[in-house]
Amino acid sequence: MALHSTAFCFSGVVSLPRNSVCFSQRTVRASAFSCPPLSSISRSNVQGKAFAGDALLDTKESSLVVCFGEMLIDFVPTTSGLSLAEAPAFKKAAGGAPANVAVGIARLGGSSAFIGKVGEDEFGYMLADILKENNVNSEGMRFDPGARTALAFVTLRSDGEREFMFYRNPSADMLLQEAELDFDLIRKAKIFHYGSISLITEPCKSAHIAAAKAAKDAGVVLSYDPNLRLPLWPSAKSAREGILSIWETADVIKISEEEISFLTEGEDPYDENVVRKLYHPNLKLLLVTEGPDGCRYYTKEFSGRVKGMKVDAVDTTGAGDAFVAGILSQLAVDLSLLQEEGKLRDALLFANACGALTVTERGAIPALPTREAVLNVMLKSVA
């Protein structure tokens, strides 16, 4: 399927805003963690496993996941290990964490919708087309005639990890207003998923809060991935306060090791007591992703770790979003995963495989896997 992924060569001065920001996202290696042992998986029981998503085609209307927030263009260097200035060319790819999750769910056979704002420009129309091509409901997408679609240049280190430089001055996603929200779409959702970037500036912050409240009041499950992008916030303090300001309304939260350290101001992300500090009384599931090492899960009744899948990383952009798409596609069909540890572990194995497959290609949305591809790689891993 064509996803408008194109190589661009820049040989002159790029006429873009000057107030851009850069930061490096580092990977913290996993250390010992006390949890129940991983149950063994055989080729036969993967083949015969009835994953929750197997019922997706029959439950599209009742398993809708609505994703709220930013959608933008990632420019990814065609050569890894170089700075942005040194990169000879860039591959254009659609991105933005909430949009990635929406496309990821649809690719896996699920039902998803995206709510957000892009510019009334060629990139905005391109992004809208990509949502449609991937069977994502775009009724809640809005176009701003006065602001451009956001851009992000992503540097890939030789190990596939990333550094970002954003162009938002302001970008259209920051200007979504409460009056532009499709509340009917929000209330129809089984799960409402969002990040924290939409909390940084008004009017999008108020729109975010209003959308989440409408979903909560309608009995929709709230899913939160903070997706920390520190340079987009005025300060580290404002980022911490902003992310935590909506913490206790979420039913499901996914965070990384780095985000635990940031939110707890430097505490050990592998200390179970530290992680439990982030578990609020109404939370149903807390997920901690550990890259290639898999993930940890916490509920009120049980906790543990599910191993990851080792692959050669080309580009880690979108891996966390693919993981979120994997687990939400399962939860939307069967919320009993939150109470049944065995079923949850199976769903997390699937989600880990989604993340692993995504890092083997460049770009976020172009790399998101189909359900068939995920099941195939799971079979190969236990062969």
Side-chain angles (χ1 to χ4, degrees):
M1 180 179 295
L3 284 173
H4 304 277
S5 297
T6 312
F8 282 79
C9 293
F10 298 93
S11 57
V13 177
V14 180
S15 58
L16 291 169
R18 290 183 177 271
N19 56 333
S20 58
V21 289
C22 269
F23 76 103
S24 174
Q25 185 178 63
R26 295 180 297 171
T27 299
V28 183
R29 302 303 298 173
S31 61
F33 174 75
S34 176
C35 66
L38 178 68
S39 57
S40 61
I41 302 291
S42 69
R43 183 180 179 87
S44 60
N45 67 23
V46 170
Q47 285 178 314
K49 186 70 69 177
F51 288 97
D54 291 339
L56 283 173
L57 295 178
D58 298 325
T59 57
K60 286 269 189 175
E61 187 64 31
S62 61
S63 62
L64 177 66
V65 180
V66 173
C67 301
F68 174 94
E70 69 279 3
M71 189 173 192
L72 48 85
I73 304 291
D74 288 327
F75 286 95
V76 184
T78 55
T79 304
S80 298
L82 300 176
S83 69
L84 289 176
E86 296 168 330
F90 295 83
K91 177 183 177 182
K92 172 170 61 72
N100 293 344
V101 173
V103 173
I105 290 169
R107 288 262 181 92
L108 295 170
S111 175
S112 65
F114 174 75
I115 292 178
K117 202 172 193 181
V118 294
E120 196 173 280
D121 52 37
E122 288 301 310
F123 283 152
Y125 295 134
M126 185 196 94
L127 294 175
D129 286 343
I130 287 174
L131 291 181
K132 292 175 184 175
E133 289 171 8
N134 284 277
N135 299 313
V136 175
N137 182 324
S138 59
E139 292 174 9
M141 195 172 192
R142 302 292 179 258
F143 295 84
D144 195 303
R148 296 298 189 189
T149 301
L151 307 179
F153 284 78
V154 187
T155 300
L156 298 178
R157 300 201 312 249
S158 57
D159 61 359
E161 283 300 323
R162 306 158 292 163
E163 295 177 351
F164 294 87
M165 186 164 67
F166 295 97
Y167 290 89
R168 306 167 84 233
N169 188 36
S171 53
D173 60 287
M174 303 163 67
L175 303 177
L176 181 67
Q177 301 181 45
E178 182 178 347
E180 296 175 299
L181 294 174
D182 187 334
F183 285 105
D184 289 338
L185 182 61
I186 292 168
R187 295 186 183 103
K188 285 194 298 187
K190 177 66 107 15
I191 298 174
F192 183 72
H193 176 73
Y194 48 86
S196 69
I197 290 176
S198 48
L199 293 170
I200 297 174
T201 57
E202 293 289 1
C204 190
K205 178 180 178 180
S206 292
H208 177 135
I209 293 170
K213 183 180 185 303
K216 193 76 169 179
D217 290 347
V220 177
V221 173
L222 300 190
S223 167
Y224 184 24
D225 176 3
N227 193 36
L228 176 64
R229 295 290 181 263
L230 192 54
L232 295 180
W233 293 84
S235 66
K237 181 182 178 185
S238 66
R240 191 174 293 109
E241 290 175 350
I243 289 170
L244 293 175
S245 69
I246 60 169
W247 197 261
E248 297 196 0
T249 63
D251 300 297
V252 176
I253 296 175
K254 173 262 176 189
I255 47 174
S256 67
E257 303 150 299
E258 295 92 338
E259 288 163 343
I260 293 174
S261 295
F262 175 77
L263 293 174
T264 60
E265 299 188 63
E267 294 193 54
D268 184 359
Y270 305 104
D271 184 333
E272 189 167 357
N273 293 324
V274 171
V275 178
R276 283 289 180 182
K277 289 180 183 178
L278 296 173
Y279 197 99
H280 67 75
N282 298 317
L283 190 60
K284 295 180 175 66
L285 177 64
L286 176 64
L287 296 170
V288 180
T289 53
E290 298 180 338
D293 297 307
C295 65
R296 285 174 275 164
Y297 59 90
Y298 299 84
T299 72
K300 291 177 182 177
E301 289 78 28
F302 49 78
S303 63
R305 171 184 272 131
V306 175
K307 69 175 182 178
M309 185 174 294
K310 305 297 182 183
V311 295
D312 293 327
V314 174
D315 176 10
T316 58
T317 306
D321 303 326
F323 172 88
V324 172
I327 189 60
L328 293 187
S329 70
Q330 305 291 302
L331 276 174
V333 177
D334 185 4
L335 288 175
S336 73
L337 296 177
L338 298 172
Q339 289 84 40
E340 299 184 35
E341 186 172 10
K343 290 167 70 173
L344 176 62
R345 291 180 66 86
D346 288 339
L348 291 173
L349 275 173
F350 181 85
N352 284 343
C354 292
L357 273 177
T358 301
V359 307
T360 62
E361 297 184 34
R362 296 183 190 275
I365 285 178
L368 293 169
T370 63
R371 181 173 182 78
E372 181 181 10
V374 175
L375 294 178
N376 284 341
V377 78
M378 291 177 72
L379 284 171
K380 291 177 182 177
S381 72
V382 298

